[in-house]
Amino acid sequence: MTKVIWVTGASSGFGMAVAMKLLKDTDHIICVSARRTHLLEVLARQGAKVYPLDITKTAEIERVRRAIEKEYGPIDAVLVNAGFGVYGPIEEVPEEAIRRQFEVNVFGAVETVRAVLPSMRREKRGRIVLTSSSAAHVSSAGMGYYAATKHSIKAIGTALRQEVGHLGIDVVMIEPGVVKTAFGQVALDENYMASKSPDYRAQMRDLKDFMLKAFDRAPDLDHTRDVMIKALLEESVNPIYRTTKGSFFLGFLSRVFPTRIYDVIVKQAIGRLH
Ligand SMILES: NC(=O)c1ccc[n+]([C@@H]2O[C@H](COP(=O)([O-])OP(=O)(O)OC[C@H]3O[C@@H](n4cnc5c(N)ncnc54)[C@H](OP(=O)(O)O)[C@@H]3O)[C@@H](O)[C@H]2O)c1
């Protein structure tokens, strides 16, 4: 059966890779969204249906959902993937940046989910795949706001899974650790907040060096892409997929060690490994 699949955040990274592989390997109808539509042209050439979207605009999300369903019928599966990272000390990240972080990663994701739910409930089937993160379970200095958005996605995704499971709708959360995409560039180059205060400066510099190395050594996105595709298409799926060793390890550390010891381990690792 030909499925209608909607991928948000498709102009780069995971979203682009998932859409491209689906276009090459399947006959499903692939609808793609992002703000930078010129980057979606490569997908359009492979047959993707392009829907420009700023995920922070609820009315735009609804307009895209309606346009897809009018043209191709009910959406069978959605990869709720658009997102980015704001790094910096809790005290110093500007309010506007904090709000934007939540607008994209939480409200954008929630409104996408709410847009597709009515027709999925009507059809008594559907697949909602949320791009979460290992940061859904752990937080660390300089990453508090990004981690807060992914903790939120975990809480919302968990509730949603329980609310809609009996309606034939599966909710799947994908939890990668650090993976090579444009995410690191965006988080560290565009959004990294060099600290104004000497009280935070060394810590933030250590974090930036650590993350640069981590992104440099990170696995490429193929495995996470394939798990996302499996989550979108396979008959039977798990509620959560952790797609990198790092995502297992961080979750394990936070569960096994008492909080204060966990804090010391993470701080020392970041201080030493850069
Ligand atoms: N790479 C990692 O290490 C990693 C690890 C765990 C989780 N994740 C998560 O994976 C998801 C995808 O990120 P990625 O790693 O593939 O990074 P990426 O290459 O930077 O891609 C991010 C995508 O999100 C879209 N996006 C950002 N702001 C948007 C907005 N306001 N409206 C619409 N789209 C927007 C971007 O499109 P436009 O800018 O064109 O709009 C882009 O297509 C994110 O949710 C991220 O938190 C990444």
Side-chain angles (χ1 to χ4, degrees), residues 178-221:
V178 178
V179 176
K180 261 196 193 79
T181 65
F183 180 92
Q185 222 171 299
V186 174
L188 294 167
D189 292 353
E190 294 175 22
N191 296 301
Y192 177 75
M193 311 288 165
S195 178
K196 292 184 227 55
S197 162
D199 290 342
Y200 300 123
R201 207 168 289 147
Q203 213 175 22
M204 292 303 122
R205 197 196 46 231
D206 284 355
L207 173 69
K208 185 169 186 179
D209 290 348
F210 174 79
M211 291 308 293
L212 284 172
K213 290 234 167 74
F215 278 108
D216 205 43
R217 290 193 213 115
D220 69 27
L221 52 65

Side-chain angles (χ1 to χ4, degrees), residues 20-67:
M20 187 56 90
K21 194 158 168 42
L22 285 170
L23 288 160
K24 287 192 170 151
D25 295 356
T26 75
D27 292 328
H28 299 306
I29 295 162
I30 310 303
C31 304
V32 294
S33 293
R35 293 167 304 174
R36 293 169 297 171
T37 42
H38 63 284
L39 298 178
L40 298 173
E41 276 164 25
V42 58
L43 296 172
R45 283 197 289 277
Q46 298 292 326
K49 322 298 177 198
V50 170
Y51 296 88
L53 174 63
D54 180 341
I55 208 89
T56 63
K57 308 235 161 58
T58 305
E60 273 187 34
I61 297 173
E62 182 51 23
R63 181 183 49 71
V64 169
R65 195 275 308 160
R66 219 176 303 127

